[in-house]
Amino acid sequence: MSSVAVVLFTSDLRLHDHPVLRAALRDADEIVPLFVRDDAVQRAGFDAPNRLAFLADCLADLDAGLRDRGGRLVLRRGESAREVKRVVERTGAESVHIAAGVSGYAARREERIREALAGTGCELRVHDAVVTALAPGRVVPTGGKDHFAVFTPYFRRWEAEGVRGTLAAPRTVRVPDGVSGDALPGRGAIRHVSPGLARGGEQAGRKLMTSWLHGPMADYEDGHDDLAGDATSRLSPHLHFGTVSAAELANRAREKGGPGGEAFVRQLAWRDFHHQVLAARPDASWSDYRPRHDRWRSDEDEIAAWKSGHTGYPLVDAAMRQLAHEGWMHNRGRMLAASFLTKTLYVDWRVGARHFLELLVDGDVANNQLNWQWVAGTGTDTRPNRILNPVIQGKRFDPDGAYVRRWVPELAEVEGPAIHEPWKLEGLDRAGVDYPDPVVDLAEARSRFERARGLD
């Protein structure tokens, strides 16, 4: 009789460099590649249309990859622990393998699966360094602390520790007969998807990764903040869904070397940094990591203008419109949009984080929430009161206004850096420009923020 193991796919929807899958194949003659559409995700509000559409691509691609190797993906809908137990009871599986997560939801899922398997004779095996390049908790500060709160010392230890080796994809996957599953979802049936949303799946991710590593990455150190040049990898959705391995990406970027490769690896370490913070402090997903006792404002008109990209500050509006159209935003745009909401409008970072999670295809709790807290000054930033001025940022990172013109067509006829201060246009330059006045004066907003933070 053949031995059976279950692989519960979560945020690791790939076949290449997959420690969970390789361990299950070593354990058993046959495996059940299982993905559960957990109702808890929908109830928590994380079933956003853009991520559902990208997920549909990922599941179809994973199923195709498994079928090429003689297997198939088994899709179930329901509570994860219940569906895992049903598969175990149907197949007599002796082990269930899953990638470790860092969110509160991931911890609860793991606990419930362990409880469901109690008494079945089936063991739950949780694997580290699958979602991240380095496992959270692998390196910790001296003195008994459970995580690093500052990036630079973390990065030194992260580099010294090194990333695990890359694993090859399996050649053959055998799935036991008689295990039923639901039909795979299709992207076409999902409503309210951003029109410019990229395609998902491991094939798309690996193609993008190869193109990035062999070309644009070389200029990453100098060009990563160039908004119009769009000189970033755009791999964040694939890292979020695990169609590309963070460990493999770090290894291959290091092999390519050069200033661009080093700068890109540092960004991968930032991702790991946020995961290790959330693993130690899961409450930071919605609570201030370092409370500043902020007395947040809540002007609904200003918040609506920010969400729709009509604040009167062109770079902020361009970034927010890119988010709506693509379900993705340039990292410099994310920082500026977040700073504008939390420091200029002085609105609670949770309002912005929630809006981003409604649209971002790469929106996960660790990176989204902790980056928002970093910008808001309630997180790990060692300069919590820094404010990004949208005019200065525009002239620096979009000097000729190309990024703004791409996303704010009302200003398409405005030439040069004047595009970042349209309220100063006069005469013929102002004629025909149908663009709102700024929702707030920057100098007044800065004074208000400083008073609120006790800095005046």
Side-chain angles (χ1 to χ4, degrees):
M1 182 176 177
S2 298
S3 57
V4 177
V6 176
V7 173
L8 180 60
F9 286 90
T10 55
S11 299
D12 51 348
L13 304 179
R14 63 179 184 271
L15 299 177
H16 292 79
D17 191 42
H18 202 295
V20 179
L21 181 59
R22 298 301 303 218
L25 289 169
R26 288 193 300 269
D27 266 9
D29 302 312
E30 298 177 319
I31 67 166
V32 180
L34 175 67
F35 185 86
V36 179
R37 290 284 307 279
D38 198 321
D39 295 334
V41 176
Q42 183 176 22
R43 289 196 300 271
F46 287 103
D47 242 359
N50 285 337
R51 290 194 294 282
L52 286 177
F54 201 89
L55 174 63
D57 296 342
C58 295
L59 295 177
D61 189 81
L62 180 59
D63 181 61
L66 288 165
R67 290 181 184 276
D68 286 344
R69 293 162 172 81
R72 61 188 171 90
L73 181 65
V74 176
L75 177 69
R76 296 284 183 91
R77 178 150 199 168
E79 200 274 322
S80 292
R82 183 181 69 240
E83 295 306 319
V84 167
K85 185 178 182 180
R86 286 176 175 174
V87 171
V88 167
E89 291 175 339
R90 176 68 181 81
T91 62
E94 298 174 355
S95 59
V96 172
H97 297 256
I98 186 174
V102 300
S103 67
Y105 164 74
R108 291 189 295 273
R109 177 178 60 199
E110 181 182 323
E111 180 182 358
R112 288 168 181 163
I113 293 173
R114 202 179 300 279
E115 291 173 350
L117 295 180
T120 66
C122 181
E123 178 187 4
L124 176 63
R125 299 183 183 175
V126 181
H127 300 266
D128 288 327
V130 180
V131 174
T132 53
L134 195 70
R138 180 69 177 273
V139 296
V140 293
T142 56
K145 294 183 178 179
D146 58 0
H147 71 288
F148 281 91
V150 179
F151 175 73
T152 300
Y154 172 79
F155 182 54
R156 285 196 294 264
R157 292 286 302 279
W158 187 93
E159 281 196 304
E161 183 69 20
V163 175
R164 63 169 176 78
T166 303
L167 302 171
R171 294 184 178 181
T172 304
V173 177
R174 294 177 55 207
V175 179
D177 295 331
V179 183
S180 62
D182 299 334
L184 296 177
R187 176 190 274 230
I190 302 167
R191 301 177 60 191
H192 307 301
V193 175
S194 292
L197 185 72
R199 300 294 300 185
E202 185 175 17
Q203 289 190 67
R206 294 193 69 79
K207 181 178 179 181
L208 183 60
M209 175 174 65
T210 299
S211 174
W212 168 252
L213 291 168
H214 291 283
M217 189 182 72
D219 299 320
Y220 181 72
E221 183 182 36
D222 295 328
H224 68 276
D225 278 324
D226 180 0
L227 285 156
D230 198 12
T232 60
S233 72
R234 286 185 173 256
L235 284 166
S236 55
H238 293 282
L239 287 167
H240 173 62
F241 283 91
T243 55
V244 166
S245 157
E248 180 183 4
L249 188 53
N251 285 329
R252 292 184 62 180
R254 276 177 166 160
E255 289 171 4
K256 295 296 291 185
E262 293 173 4
F264 185 64
V265 168
R266 185 179 176 89
Q267 292 304 309
L268 294 173
W270 262 109
R271 181 175 182 269
D272 280 9
F273 172 75
H274 284 144
H275 277 76
Q276 61 95 39
V277 171
L278 190 65
R281 292 277 300 276
D283 61 312
S285 60
W286 290 110
S287 299
D288 289 350
Y289 179 80
R290 287 178 173 150
R292 305 291 176 189
H293 309 293
D294 287 294
R295 301 182 297 276
W296 302 112
R297 298 173 63 252
S298 184
D299 186 308
E300 294 302 323
D301 290 338
E302 291 179 358
I303 293 171
W306 176 82
K307 287 182 177 180
S308 66
H310 291 85
T311 67
Y313 289 97
L315 198 61
V316 175
D317 293 345
M320 296 303 293
R321 295 186 196 187
Q322 181 183 27
L323 172 63
H325 183 80
E326 295 187 352
W328 184 89
M329 189 194 295
H330 191 288
N331 185 58
R332 175 56 56 175
R334 298 187 198 206
M335 292 175 64
L336 176 63
S339 177
F340 188 83
L341 184 72
T342 60
K343 301 285 182 62
T344 302
L345 299 183
Y346 198 41
V347 171
D348 193 331
W349 64 267
R350 282 160 280 249
V351 173
R354 188 176 295 109
H355 180 69
F356 270 32
L357 283 178
E358 290 172 357
L359 291 172
L360 280 176
V361 64
D362 60 16
D364 68 35
V365 172
N367 294 301
N368 185 64
Q369 313 303 81
L370 292 175
N371 271 313
W372 267 95
Q373 290 224 50
W374 189 92
V375 174
T378 62
T380 61
D381 187 8
T382 56
R383 293 171 53 199
N385 298 311
R386 79 176 80 204
I387 300 174
L388 300 183
N389 183 304
V391 177
I392 295 174
Q393 292 279 303
K395 291 179 179 180
R396 181 177 178 185
F397 298 114
D398 187 32
D400 66 357
Y403 178 75
V404 168
R405 286 185 203 92
R406 185 181 305 161
W407 296 110
V408 186
E410 305 96 297
L411 300 175
E413 301 303 318
V414 181
E415 298 181 357
I419 199 170
H420 297 295
E421 298 175 285
W423 56 89
K424 291 185 177 180
L425 297 174
E426 297 179 353
L428 293 176
D429 291 331
R430 180 74 178 181
V433 175
D434 183 17
Y435 185 68
D437 290 328
V439 294
V440 65
D441 178 80
L442 293 179
E444 292 178 2
R446 186 180 188 95
S447 296
R448 180 178 61 200
F449 173 77
E450 290 175 347
R451 288 194 303 272
R453 282 266 171 104
L455 304 172
D456 56 345

